Amino acid sequence: MTDSVQLSHFSMLDVDQAPESPGLYAWYVSFRAGPHDWKTKPSADGDQAIGSFLNLLRKYAGYYEPMPINLSGRGSYGAKWEGSLELDYPLREPTEGAQPGDDDLLQRLETLVGSLDTEERRRVMSSILHRASPVFSSPLYIGVATNLQERLRKHRMDYTRTHDWLREHPEDAEIIRARGKNFGQRAAARSIAMEHLEAWIIDLADEENDEVTKKHLRNTAESAEWLLHRLYSPILGRQ
Protein backbone atom coordinates (compact mmCIF):
# COMPACT_ATOMS: atom_id res chain seq x y z
CA MET A 1 0.00 0.00 0.00
CA THR A 2 1.39 3.41 -0.94
CA ASP A 3 1.25 6.51 1.24
CA SER A 4 -0.92 9.09 -0.53
CA VAL A 5 -0.39 11.91 1.98
CA GLN A 6 1.60 14.66 0.28
CA LEU A 7 4.24 16.63 2.21
CA SER A 8 5.67 19.88 0.88
CA HIS A 9 6.75 23.29 2.15
CA PHE A 10 6.48 26.95 1.19
CA SER A 11 8.16 30.14 2.27
CA MET A 12 5.74 32.73 3.64
CA LEU A 13 6.64 34.73 0.54
CA ASP A 14 5.37 31.88 -1.69
CA VAL A 15 2.16 30.73 0.02
CA ASP A 16 0.15 31.70 -3.08
CA GLN A 17 1.52 28.46 -4.57
CA ALA A 18 0.09 26.28 -1.78
CA PRO A 19 -2.74 23.90 -2.77
CA GLU A 20 -6.35 24.92 -2.26
CA SER A 21 -7.18 21.69 -0.42
CA PRO A 22 -7.71 20.55 3.17
CA GLY A 23 -4.74 19.64 5.31
CA LEU A 24 -2.47 20.47 8.21
CA TYR A 25 0.46 22.86 8.31
CA ALA A 26 3.26 23.86 10.65
CA TRP A 27 5.30 27.06 10.63
CA TYR A 28 9.06 26.97 11.23
CA VAL A 29 11.72 29.65 11.35
CA SER A 30 14.97 28.76 9.62
CA PHE A 31 18.40 29.87 10.80
CA ARG A 32 20.04 32.11 8.21
CA ALA A 33 23.72 33.02 8.16
CA GLY A 34 26.23 33.58 5.39
CA PRO A 35 29.97 34.08 4.91
CA HIS A 36 29.69 37.68 6.14
CA ASP A 37 28.50 36.26 9.49
CA TRP A 38 31.14 33.58 10.05
CA LYS A 39 34.23 35.05 8.30
CA THR A 40 36.94 36.40 10.59
CA LYS A 41 36.74 40.12 11.46
CA PRO A 42 40.13 41.07 12.92
CA SER A 43 40.32 43.89 15.44
CA ALA A 44 42.61 45.08 18.22
CA ASP A 45 40.47 43.05 20.65
CA GLY A 46 40.52 39.85 18.59
CA ASP A 47 38.02 38.33 16.18
CA GLN A 48 34.83 40.42 16.33
CA ALA A 49 32.94 37.74 14.43
CA ILE A 50 32.78 35.56 17.57
CA GLY A 51 30.63 38.06 19.45
CA SER A 52 28.48 38.99 16.47
CA PHE A 53 27.82 35.31 15.63
CA LEU A 54 26.91 34.61 19.26
CA ASN A 55 24.42 37.49 19.09
CA LEU A 56 22.97 35.93 15.94
CA LEU A 57 22.46 32.67 17.87
CA ARG A 58 20.86 34.59 20.75
CA LYS A 59 18.44 36.30 18.37
CA TYR A 60 17.43 32.97 16.83
CA ALA A 61 17.02 31.33 20.24
CA GLY A 62 14.89 34.28 21.33
CA TYR A 63 12.26 33.34 18.77
CA TYR A 64 11.59 30.25 20.92
CA GLU A 65 11.69 31.93 24.33
CA PRO A 66 8.52 31.05 26.29
CA MET A 67 6.30 33.85 27.54
CA PRO A 68 6.06 34.41 31.33
CA ILE A 69 3.41 32.42 33.21
CA ASN A 70 0.87 34.44 35.20
CA LEU A 71 0.21 32.99 38.64
CA SER A 72 -2.42 33.83 41.23
CA GLY A 73 -3.62 32.39 44.51
CA ARG A 74 -5.35 33.22 47.79
CA GLY A 75 -3.90 33.15 51.27
CA SER A 76 -5.39 33.41 54.72
CA TYR A 77 -7.80 36.23 55.57
CA GLY A 78 -8.62 36.74 51.90
CA ALA A 79 -5.09 37.79 50.92
CA LYS A 80 -4.56 37.56 47.18
CA TRP A 81 -1.21 36.62 45.67
CA GLU A 82 -0.42 37.23 42.04
CA GLY A 83 2.64 37.65 39.88
CA SER A 84 4.52 36.52 36.83
CA LEU A 85 6.97 33.61 36.64
CA GLU A 86 9.64 34.14 33.99
CA LEU A 87 12.02 31.49 32.67
CA ASP A 88 15.73 32.21 33.16
CA TYR A 89 16.38 31.65 29.46
CA PRO A 90 20.01 30.55 29.00
CA LEU A 91 20.73 32.34 25.70
CA ARG A 92 19.13 35.66 26.57
CA GLU A 93 21.40 38.68 26.26
CA PRO A 94 22.86 39.06 29.79
CA THR A 95 22.15 42.23 31.73
CA GLU A 96 25.11 44.24 33.00
CA GLY A 97 26.76 42.57 35.96
CA ALA A 98 24.46 39.53 35.87
CA GLN A 99 25.96 36.04 35.89
CA PRO A 100 24.25 32.67 35.39
CA GLY A 101 23.54 31.12 38.76
CA ASP A 102 24.17 27.58 37.57
CA ASP A 103 27.83 26.54 37.23
CA ASP A 104 26.92 23.87 34.67
CA LEU A 105 25.07 26.46 32.58
CA LEU A 106 28.00 28.85 32.76
CA GLN A 107 30.33 26.07 31.59
CA ARG A 108 27.94 25.24 28.72
CA LEU A 109 27.88 28.86 27.59
CA GLU A 110 31.67 29.06 27.73
CA THR A 111 31.85 25.89 25.64
CA LEU A 112 29.43 27.40 23.13
CA VAL A 113 31.57 30.53 22.78
CA GLY A 114 34.64 28.33 22.39
CA SER A 115 32.96 26.43 19.56
CA LEU A 116 32.71 29.69 17.59
CA ASP A 117 36.36 30.67 17.84
CA THR A 118 37.29 30.04 14.19
CA GLU A 119 35.73 30.88 10.86
CA GLU A 120 35.34 27.22 9.92
CA ARG A 121 33.69 26.26 13.22
CA ARG A 122 31.17 29.09 12.82
CA ARG A 123 30.42 27.90 9.27
CA VAL A 124 29.79 24.36 10.53
CA MET A 125 27.51 25.64 13.32
CA SER A 126 25.55 27.64 10.76
CA SER A 127 25.20 24.58 8.51
CA ILE A 128 23.96 22.39 11.37
CA LEU A 129 21.33 24.89 12.49
CA HIS A 130 20.16 25.58 8.96
CA ARG A 131 19.60 21.86 8.32
CA ALA A 132 18.05 21.21 11.73
CA SER A 133 14.80 22.98 10.87
CA PRO A 134 12.35 21.34 10.68
CA VAL A 135 13.88 17.86 11.10
CA PHE A 136 15.16 18.36 14.66
CA SER A 137 13.08 21.30 15.83
CA SER A 138 9.61 21.80 17.25
CA PRO A 139 7.36 23.99 15.12
CA LEU A 140 6.43 27.56 15.98
CA TYR A 141 2.80 26.88 15.12
CA ILE A 142 0.57 24.01 14.00
CA GLY A 143 -2.74 24.60 12.25
CA VAL A 144 -5.48 22.93 10.25
CA ALA A 145 -7.24 24.28 7.18
CA THR A 146 -10.03 23.44 4.78
CA ASN A 147 -8.18 25.50 2.15
CA LEU A 148 -4.44 25.54 2.81
CA GLN A 149 -3.61 28.35 0.41
CA GLU A 150 -6.32 30.62 1.79
CA ARG A 151 -5.27 29.96 5.38
CA LEU A 152 -1.56 30.52 4.78
CA ARG A 153 -2.27 33.73 2.87
CA LYS A 154 -4.29 34.91 5.89
CA HIS A 155 -1.25 34.29 8.12
CA ARG A 156 0.90 36.35 5.75
CA MET A 157 -1.63 39.18 5.71
CA ASP A 158 -1.79 39.21 9.54
CA TYR A 159 2.01 39.27 9.68
CA THR A 160 2.29 42.11 7.15
CA ARG A 161 -0.31 44.28 8.88
CA THR A 162 1.32 43.78 12.27
CA HIS A 163 4.83 44.36 10.90
CA ASP A 164 3.70 47.63 9.30
CA TRP A 165 1.95 48.70 12.51
CA LEU A 166 5.03 48.00 14.66
CA ARG A 167 7.25 50.11 12.41
CA GLU A 168 5.15 53.10 13.51
CA HIS A 169 4.35 51.83 17.02
CA PRO A 170 7.36 49.82 18.29
CA GLU A 171 6.20 50.34 21.87
CA ASP A 172 3.35 47.86 21.21
CA ALA A 173 5.68 44.93 20.45
CA GLU A 174 5.65 43.40 23.94
CA ILE A 175 1.87 43.62 24.23
CA ILE A 176 1.34 41.92 20.85
CA ARG A 177 4.07 39.38 21.65
CA ALA A 178 2.11 38.34 24.75
CA ARG A 179 -1.49 38.86 23.58
CA GLY A 180 -1.42 38.61 19.80
CA LYS A 181 -4.61 36.98 18.54
CA ASN A 182 -3.03 34.99 15.71
CA PHE A 183 0.23 33.52 14.47
CA GLY A 184 1.02 36.41 12.11
CA GLN A 185 0.79 38.96 14.90
CA ARG A 186 2.90 36.94 17.33
CA ALA A 187 5.58 36.17 14.72
CA ALA A 188 5.88 39.82 13.68
CA ALA A 189 6.10 40.91 17.33
CA ARG A 190 9.11 38.60 17.78
CA SER A 191 10.82 40.36 14.83
CA ILE A 192 11.04 37.16 12.77
CA ALA A 193 11.83 38.11 9.18
CA MET A 194 9.14 37.00 6.72
CA GLU A 195 11.68 35.37 4.42
CA HIS A 196 12.83 33.15 7.31
CA LEU A 197 9.37 31.68 7.85
CA GLU A 198 8.31 28.55 6.02
CA ALA A 199 5.22 26.38 6.27
CA TRP A 200 5.44 22.60 5.92
CA ILE A 201 2.11 21.15 4.89
CA ILE A 202 0.36 17.79 4.72
CA ASP A 203 -1.97 17.98 1.72
CA LEU A 204 -4.96 15.67 2.18
CA ALA A 205 -6.49 16.23 -1.27
CA ASP A 206 -5.80 12.66 -2.42
CA GLU A 207 -7.50 11.23 0.68
CA GLU A 208 -10.96 12.47 -0.32
CA ASN A 209 -13.35 9.85 -1.78
CA ASP A 210 -16.96 8.73 -1.56
CA GLU A 211 -16.51 7.48 1.99
CA VAL A 212 -14.12 10.16 3.23
CA THR A 213 -15.64 13.55 2.42
CA LYS A 214 -14.03 16.95 2.85
CA LYS A 215 -15.96 17.32 6.11
CA HIS A 216 -14.55 14.01 7.38
CA LEU A 217 -11.04 15.06 6.39
CA ARG A 218 -11.44 18.31 8.31
CA ASN A 219 -12.62 16.48 11.42
CA THR A 220 -9.74 14.01 11.25
CA ALA A 221 -7.25 16.81 10.67
CA GLU A 222 -8.60 18.73 13.67
CA SER A 223 -8.10 15.66 15.87
CA ALA A 224 -4.55 15.28 14.57
CA GLU A 225 -3.92 18.98 15.21
CA TRP A 226 -5.09 18.59 18.83
CA LEU A 227 -2.73 15.66 19.34
CA LEU A 228 0.24 17.40 17.67
CA HIS A 229 -0.22 20.47 19.86
CA ARG A 230 0.15 18.31 22.93
CA LEU A 231 3.13 16.44 21.56
CA TYR A 232 5.14 19.43 20.37
CA SER A 233 3.76 22.48 22.29
CA PRO A 234 4.39 25.04 19.50
CA ILE A 235 5.67 28.25 21.07
CA LEU A 236 3.47 30.58 19.00
CA GLY A 237 0.35 28.41 19.08
CA ARG A 238 -2.88 29.05 20.94
CA GLN A 239 -2.38 28.51 24.65
Side-chain angles (χ1 to χ4, degrees):
M1 185 176 73
T2 59
D3 186 357
S4 59
V5 174
Q6 300 298 308
L7 181 67
S8 56
H9 65 98
F10 301 88
S11 163
M12 183 176 269
L13 298 170
D14 302 323
V15 294
D16 295 327
Q17 300 173 30
E20 299 181 72
S21 51
L24 291 108
Y25 61 93
W27 284 104
Y28 292 86
V29 56
S30 59
F31 181 80
R32 300 290 181 87
H36 63 283
D37 296 303
W38 62 66
K39 282 189 176 294
T40 302
K41 299 174 184 175
S43 72
D45 298 322
D47 185 359
Q48 289 186 328
I50 298 175
S52 60
F53 197 89
L54 180 60
N55 287 336
L56 191 64
L57 294 181
R58 283 190 171 123
K59 180 179 179 180
Y60 183 69
Y63 297 152
Y64 290 90
E65 183 174 351
M67 295 302 298
I69 299 173
N70 293 319
L71 303 173
S72 63
R74 290 193 176 276
S76 57
Y77 304 106
K80 184 177 180 180
W81 297 76
E82 60 181 16
S84 179
L85 190 64
E86 187 173 353
L87 179 67
D88 185 11
Y89 205 58
L91 277 175
R92 184 184 298 157
E93 183 70 35
T95 56
E96 187 175 352
Q99 294 291 333
D102 189 322
D103 290 340
D104 182 62
L105 174 57
L106 181 58
Q107 184 177 353
R108 293 274 185 175
L109 291 173
E110 290 175 348
T111 301
L112 173 62
V113 174
S115 71
L116 308 176
D117 63 357
T118 69
E119 182 177 309
E120 182 63 13
R121 295 180 79 179
R122 291 189 291 271
R123 185 196 65 76
V124 172
M125 175 69 80
S126 177
S127 178
I128 290 172
L129 292 179
H130 180 70
R131 295 178 184 180
S133 176
V135 178
F136 286 91
S137 62
S138 291
L140 295 174
Y141 185 92
I142 296 173
V144 63
T146 302
N147 184 317
L148 285 162
Q149 182 185 117
E150 184 179 287
R151 185 61 176 153
L152 296 177
R153 290 176 67 180
K154 177 65 166 58
H155 282 307
R156 184 175 64 185
M157 182 177 67
D158 292 335
Y159 175 99
T160 301
R161 287 178 174 174
T162 306
H163 180 268
D164 292 345
W165 173 267
L166 290 175
R167 282 194 300 183
E168 302 295 328
H169 306 85
E171 68 279 3
D172 290 346
E174 283 303 311
I175 295 175
I176 298 175
R177 178 182 161 105
R179 302 179 186 175
K181 295 180 179 179
N182 53 61
F183 168 75
Q185 290 181 356
R186 294 190 286 269
R190 291 198 176 217
S191 300
I192 303 175
M194 180 184 286
E195 59 269 23
H196 294 179
L197 288 166
E198 58 183 26
W200 284 73
I201 69 169
I202 296 176
D203 182 358
L204 298 176
D206 292 341
E207 297 295 318
E208 187 175 351
N209 53 48
D210 291 339
E211 294 184 15
V212 183
T213 65
K214 184 170 290 188
K215 180 181 178 180
H216 291 144
L217 286 176
R218 172 75 190 204
N219 290 341
T220 301
E222 286 178 349
S223 294
E225 179 199 27
W226 180 88
L227 177 60
L228 292 170
H229 272 128
R230 280 141 190 84
L231 290 175
Y232 299 125
S233 301
I235 198 71
L236 297 187
R238 293 186 297 271
Q239 301 300 313

